[in-house]
Amino acid sequence: MIKVLSVFGTRPEGIKMAPVVRELNKYPEFFQAKVAVTAQHREMLDQVLDLFGIKPDYDLNLMRHGQTLYDITSGALLGLKEILEQEKPDLVLVHGDTTTTFVAALAAFYQQVKVGHVEAGLRTGNKYAPFPEEMNRKMAGSLADYHFAPTKTAKENLLRENVPANSIVVTGNTVIDALFHTVGKPYQFSGYLADRVNWSKRILLVTCHRRENWGEPMKGIFQAVKEIKVRRPDMEVIFPVHKNPLVRKLAHDILGEIPGIHLIEPLDYHPFAHLMAKSYLVLTDSGGMQEEAPSLGKPVLVLRDTTERPEAMEAGTVKLVGTDREKILHETLRLIDDSQYYRNMAHAVNPYGDGKAAGRIVRFIMRLFDIDHGNEENYRYE
Ligand code: UD1
Ligand code: UDP
């Protein structure tokens, strides 16, 4: 029996690890699948756990309002030490690039437990963008023994860092597994969204939370959103505002109380996936949404100067627009007004996966532990 401990802490890690946890649970004869959450996020993580029916074996309940990187790093490291000592897993799985990711990989390394990194190999090459995620994923990658790269580009990034080729497998991104699973289940909007949003108008979906955008860049973004609504009153703006208090204050200061701009609480993933599908256009600095929106055929303007996800840009459905008010305004109005330009961007592509990534990850783990000797084709996405 192989004991696999999956560790995660934030909303996106929860969404992207849920398919892996569910897949491990399909094979109780091989795996003892345990889950530890740091709860670096609380409400935003809990809705994901509920949606996917995951009951963590351990919950460090770390989140504090206005927490610093030091708080999460030290709290998670000490909390995970005890869990690892108690469970002694054969393998720890971490996901992506949050502080939980890096710390969980470090905690496992300190006890010489093998680490598998899901969504490995994303890079911008800029230490401070995204901050602190670029270093989190590099450090997690250095500590990891096995690398589940979502795309070929991610694998090439790892090879350039001299990661051994036989420790890397291209699997597709598990976010597509989660998205297909969720968007495939019908959802009827109720409450505020059903009553207050004018669905006959085109929907501009906005999200924004990145640390390197805090302050002036975010101000520029929100001013651009306000100006878009002034210039194109026939658009309806929906902005589920991240729980971070800094983000909320600025969003409410600049965009609060404007008719047709709906500042709402973060949505559960099920309604959110359906909202993405109903949107005309997405403005975001989110990583995950750059992966999801293309497969729904929605153009994405990325509110950042760099991206570790070049594949959708190359496919033409995602464009980097940065944080400058005028640039965001210009690019958004162009997509609203120029239907040919819109059509060129709004085509469904799946550069990030086919919805079968979790199966490939688990198959690779089976092979590692000599559970399965199936042929290579079954667990590679290349
Ligand atoms: C974190 C990750 C970031 C990821 C993002 C996804 C780090 C350093 N950052 O950033 O990589 O893209 O999550 O959303 O790992 N809060 C709540 N309830 C919640 C969640 C957050 O109230 O459910 C508030 C708390 O006041 C908390 C603050 O948001 O202190 C910031 O949370 P934190 O996890 O530190 O940073 P994020 O900006 O969410
Ligand atoms: N998301 C959600 N509800 C929301 C906003 C986003 O469920 O109100 C989902 C979104 O579909 C994606 C993930 O949360 O899967 C992205 O999370 P976030 O933008 O917080 O983090 P990032 O992807 O930038 O790390």
Side-chain angles (χ1 to χ4, degrees), residues 121 123 138 141-147 153-168:
R123 298 288 185 269
K138 283 188 80 168
S142 294
L143 294 162
D145 300 278
Y146 313 111
H147 309 262
T153 308
K155 176 179 174 176
E156 282 157 11
N157 291 337
L158 292 167
L159 291 174
R160 263 196 300 278
E161 293 173 11
N162 297 322
V163 174
N166 64 1
S167 70
I168 310 169

Side-chain angles (χ1 to χ4, degrees), residues 40-41 43-44 64-67 99 133 209-210 242:
Q40 173 178 335
H41 283 175
E43 308 91 307
M44 284 162 56
R64 298 290 173 265
H65 287 290
Q67 64 203 4
T99 295
E133 290 84 2
H209 72 86
R210 303 228 79 83
H242 191 286

Side-chain angles (χ1 to χ4, degrees), residues 16-17 19-20 23 93-95 116-122 146-156 158 165 167-178 180 291 311 350-365 367 376-382:
K16 292 169 164 186
M17 280 301 275
V20 179
E23 188 70 19
L93 291 179
V94 300
H95 179 279
H117 188 198
V118 179
E119 198 183 81
L122 277 61
Y146 313 111
H147 309 262
F148 302 105
T151 64
K152 233 172 128 199
T153 308
K155 176 179 174 176
E156 282 157 11
L158 292 167
S167 70
I168 310 169
V169 58
V170 180
T171 60
N173 198 309
T174 56
V175 78
I176 305 300
D177 305 27
F180 286 174
E291 295 154 346
E311 297 86 355
N350 273 319
Y352 296 107
D354 57 359
K356 296 179 185 161
R360 294 190 185 97
I361 290 167
V362 170
R363 199 158 183 88
F364 182 88
I365 298 171
R367 287 173 60 97
E376 291 232 335
E377 296 304 310
N378 291 337
Y379 72 92
R380 287 186 184 274
Y381 177 67
E382 277 174 280

Side-chain angles (χ1 to χ4, degrees), residues 11-12 15 209-210 240 266-269 272 276 286-289 292:
R11 168 174 68 191
I15 292 169
H209 72 86
R210 303 228 79 83
L267 285 171
D268 290 358
Y269 188 53
F272 189 77
M276 268 191 295
S286 162
M289 287 167 64
E292 293 165 331

Side-chain angles (χ1 to χ4, degrees), residues 1-8 17 20-25 27 30-36 57-58 83-84 87-94 113-118 146 148 361-362 364-366 368-369 371:
M1 196 63 125
I2 308 303
K3 190 185 281 186
V4 181
L5 178 71
S6 300
V7 184
F8 48 93
M17 280 301 275
V20 179
V21 172
R22 287 166 66 100
E23 188 70 19
L24 286 168
N25 280 330
Y27 304 97
F30 300 139
F31 296 118
Q32 218 183 333
K34 299 269 180 170
V35 171
D57 300 279
Y58 297 91
I83 297 172
L84 288 164
E87 285 293 343
K88 302 196 183 329
D90 299 294
L91 177 69
V92 166
L93 291 179
V94 300
V113 174
K114 300 275 191 215
V115 176
H117 188 198
V118 179
Y146 313 111
F148 302 105
I361 290 167
V362 170
F364 182 88
I365 298 171
M366 285 179 174
L368 273 181
F369 290 97
I371 294 172

